[in-house]
Each structure stands twice: as C-alpha cells, then as structure tokens.
Amino acid sequence: MTNIDKGLLHRAFSVFLFDDQNRLLLQQRAEEKITFADMWTNTCCSHPLNIPGETGSTLPESIEGAKRAAQRKLEHELGIKPEQVPIEKFHFLTRIHYKAPSDGKWGEHESKSSFSLAYSFSLFSAALLPI
C-alpha cells in the first residue's frame, strides 16, 4: 500500500460482457491472485501493457489502447477471440479514479476505463446472472 498511498496511478480497464438476453458474465478471481483473491468480479479487468497499440498520449488514443488490451485479456482469460469482440463493439462507459485496498499490503490505485459490450455466447451458462 506504500506506493498507493503516495498517489501513484496505473492504467486499467473493466469489461462488462452481456449476452443477447442482457445477462452479465461474471468471473471469480483465482485464489492465487495477490489482490482480491476468490472475489466475484465483472467479466474481465486488467491493465494495458506498455506496448504499441495499447498506449496513447491523448484520451481517445488511450481509450482505443484499452479496448485492444481488453481484446487481448478476453482471449487470455476466457478464450474469446478478438474477431468475436471487434473494437467497434466496445462501448466506452466512463473513466474513473479507482482506489481500493485489498488485504492491507496490496491494493489498486488506477485510472480505469470501463466498457460494455454485447456478445452472443452459450458458454458459462451456469455463471450467467440476470440483471
């Protein structure tokens, strides 16, 4: 929490993936995670990497970079291919300043872009909850 308490921020994103019946796909974080282990969370959240395509010096460029990062993580975590979730289907919701301690030692301090997106999927039906 020392770095967080210094006011240092890092970039992040959150994805809220809905099916064609407006059900939100949730996931449970792995117990091995150092922050918020075993907690239920939105479909996917992570951080853009400092690589071409995921960075940007302006807000629009930063948002596009976060969308590309979200595509990468949706494939990595859920096996959803980028062509199944095209960039133009990501709807920018907002950008928030997010600060949350996890266990007292670790936590998050982020500038987070949030996106919603509709996707027709039949996997994970047991985890789908009506909203």
Side-chain angles (χ1 to χ4, degrees):
M1 291 292 296
T2 304
N3 283 344
I4 289 173
D5 291 336
K6 289 180 183 176
L8 302 175
L9 287 167
H10 59 272
R11 293 185 325 130
F13 63 83
S14 288
V15 176
F16 300 87
L17 186 64
F18 295 89
D19 72 1
D20 54 6
Q21 296 178 41
N22 286 328
R23 296 177 297 181
L24 174 62
L25 177 62
L26 299 175
Q27 70 167 308
Q28 187 173 19
R29 292 175 61 87
E31 67 180 40
E32 297 84 19
K33 290 288 207 178
I34 61 171
T35 57
F36 308 104
D38 284 330
M39 304 269 306
W40 284 93
T41 186
N42 56 303
T43 309
C44 177
C45 50
S46 190
H47 308 92
L49 299 177
N50 189 22
I51 59 173
E54 292 190 16
T55 60
S57 58
T58 66
L59 182 58
E61 289 173 354
S62 179
I63 290 169
E64 287 303 304
K67 289 178 181 180
R68 288 186 200 90
Q71 280 184 312
R72 174 179 52 79
K73 288 306 287 185
L74 283 167
E75 181 172 25
H76 175 246
E77 292 185 4
L78 300 171
I80 299 171
K81 303 287 184 203
E83 58 271 12
Q84 295 174 292
V85 285
I87 292 286
E88 62 272 7
K89 297 291 184 178
F90 284 79
H91 300 284
F92 177 71
L93 299 173
T94 191
R95 192 170 187 191
I96 62 170
H97 177 192
Y98 172 74
K99 184 176 180 182
S102 177
D103 64 359
K105 180 179 179 184
W106 299 98
E108 297 285 4
H109 192 198
E110 304 171 330
S111 173
K112 183 176 284 201
S113 297
S114 297
F115 306 101
S116 70
L117 124 109
Y119 173 66
S120 293
F121 55 87
S122 58
L123 299 175
F124 314 111
S125 60
L128 297 175
L129 303 173
I131 57 167

